Amino acid sequence: MTRRLRILTWHVHGNYLYNLSQVPHDFYLLKDAAGSPQRSGRCGQLPWSDNVHDAPVEALPGMRFDAVLYQSRQAWDEDRPRWLSPAQQSLPRLVLEHDPPQQHPTNTVHWADDPGTVLVHVTPFNALMWDPGRCPVRVIEHGVRPLDEQAWQGGWSRGLVVVNHLARRGRRLGSDLYLQLQQRLPLSLAGMGSETLPGGLGEVGQLQLPRLMAAHRFFFHPVRYTSLGLALIEALMMGMPVVGLATTELSTVIRSGDNGFIDTRPERLAEAMQALLEDPALAARWGRAGQRMARERFGIGRFVADWQQLFREVCA
């Protein structure tokens, strides 16, 4: 495909959108007057390129697009009929699903359920768990362009957890495991609302997070059931050793004792974290192996090529 496409989408996950914007097309972000969640347009600290634009709702009827990329049920159920013209609704369309099913893990039919809409999953695990209904399915794994070429140092003998609103999101995101292990090991928690929990550092800006991560000895991922977090991939990219639960897609990423450590037993996770605290050389060895794997599997070049190919198929 030689021409640049004009793609209407939504600002749902900022870091994902930043990586998606590395694809050489023009992305227009729906924006309402209040800049409300998912309708906030081009905003925040991220260094957006000039291919990212606002799409004010009042101007939408007169705007031309080549495709629409929905990223949430709100966009599909509410914004599509409210603000998109019939012609815009009939454009080539994709739904980017960021999460595994939240209702029943295996028997949930995806809400798009439209044979004319391509359902794009960010991990093979998510695609395995969702019932896609009538949607054709593609999987495009994450790709990361680091915001900062920060290299892991690991000078602080502490582990770092990065989860927004961990207390509110509970067991699925591993709040109980974090609290249990934080009593035994020096663990910090970064993310919105984290100041309410022991070790909480509060919200850390996207541009400041790489430096904080690089200083900690290891990255701990206590999440039971989610997509593969971008913060975890960013940790791997900088050479930071990762310890986490052997669940969801992480079980295909980490080889215990080689490029990190995963297990379903909290006691074994605690032992691995203690070993990293006591042996910086072990941490460095796991970190280097994880970095090699992450750069190969989650490089931005592969990610951009995958999206280019999909847009070519959908908009042919």
Side-chain angles (χ1 to χ4, degrees):
M1 182 177 292
T2 57
R3 67 186 178 96
R4 287 175 71 96
L5 299 176
R6 298 166 59 90
I7 300 162
L8 176 65
T9 191
W10 281 253
H11 192 153
V12 175
H13 295 293
N15 280 32
Y16 189 96
L17 184 63
Y18 172 73
N19 291 309
L20 181 64
S21 70
Q22 307 311 306
V23 179
H25 296 306
D26 286 295
F27 295 90
Y28 291 82
L29 312 182
L30 187 138
K31 183 176 183 179
D32 64 14
S36 52
Q38 300 189 25
R39 301 165 183 149
S40 56
R42 173 178 164 144
C43 64
Q45 299 181 348
L46 291 165
W48 304 110
S49 299
D50 59 6
N51 67 329
V52 180
H53 318 270
D54 282 341
V57 293
E58 64 273 13
L60 275 180
M63 298 182 74
R64 179 183 64 81
F65 305 109
D66 297 293
V68 182
L69 175 62
Y70 302 92
Q71 297 194 51
S72 70
R73 188 163 191 173
Q74 173 183 291
W76 181 262
D77 286 349
E78 299 177 24
D79 296 358
R80 180 173 60 121
R82 181 177 180 183
W83 282 307
L84 272 63
S85 69
Q88 289 168 337
Q89 292 183 45
S90 68
L91 288 169
R93 54 197 179 272
L94 309 93
V95 167
L96 176 58
E97 177 53 70
H98 290 277
D99 296 303
Q102 303 297 299
Q103 289 75 40
H104 191 283
T106 62
N107 298 347
T108 302
V109 178
H110 198 273
W111 37 265
D113 193 21
D114 174 17
T117 299
V118 178
L119 177 59
V120 186
H121 289 293
V122 298
T123 71
F125 176 85
N126 290 5
L128 177 71
M129 303 307 282
W130 276 104
D131 179 343
R134 296 173 295 166
C135 293
V137 173
R138 299 289 189 277
V139 176
I140 297 182
E141 290 200 278
H142 288 301
V144 171
R145 178 183 179 181
L147 290 168
D148 189 323
E149 294 299 330
Q150 185 75 48
W152 172 78
Q153 302 295 324
W156 295 357
S157 294
R158 300 184 63 85
L160 179 65
V161 175
V162 180
V163 179
N164 286 325
H165 301 298
L166 180 59
R168 187 181 75 196
R169 296 165 79 184
R171 283 177 53 83
R172 184 172 69 86
L173 276 292
S175 61
D176 59 317
L177 295 175
Y178 170 75
L179 291 172
Q180 173 188 337
L181 293 170
Q182 208 273 340
Q183 294 177 18
R184 300 176 50 184
L185 296 154
L187 295 175
S188 304
L189 173 65
M192 289 183 282
S194 61
E195 64 276 5
T196 65
L197 295 176
L201 304 175
E203 183 177 4
V204 179
Q206 291 158 312
L207 300 182
Q208 289 72 48
L209 185 60
R211 187 178 300 273
L212 178 69
M213 292 169 65
H216 281 76
R217 181 65 51 82
F218 61 86
F219 187 98
F220 176 41
H221 190 64
V223 181
R224 285 181 170 88
Y225 186 69
T226 188
S227 290
L228 196 61
L230 283 174
L232 184 149
I233 297 174
E234 289 161 4
L236 289 165
M237 285 279 195
M238 69 169 58
M240 187 178 189
V242 166
V243 176
L245 290 172
T247 60
T248 66
E249 197 63 40
L250 192 58
S251 64
T252 74
V253 172
I254 298 298
R255 300 183 303 273
S256 284
D258 176 21
N259 63 356
F261 189 88
I262 55 174
D263 206 285
T264 55
R265 293 164 290 185
E267 184 63 35
R268 294 294 304 279
L269 299 178
E271 292 170 359
M273 289 188 275
Q274 187 62 48
L276 293 172
L277 294 173
E278 296 174 357
D279 189 350
L282 174 66
R285 190 160 62 248
W286 286 2
R288 286 192 299 270
Q291 185 179 53
R292 288 193 297 270
M293 176 277 304
R295 287 178 173 176
E296 178 179 345
R297 181 166 173 177
F298 303 113
I300 194 66
R302 189 273 310 155
F303 178 78
V304 167
D306 286 353
W307 272 106
Q308 283 277 69
Q309 176 62 31
L310 182 56
F311 284 134
R312 186 178 300 117
E313 293 176 12
V314 171
C315 298

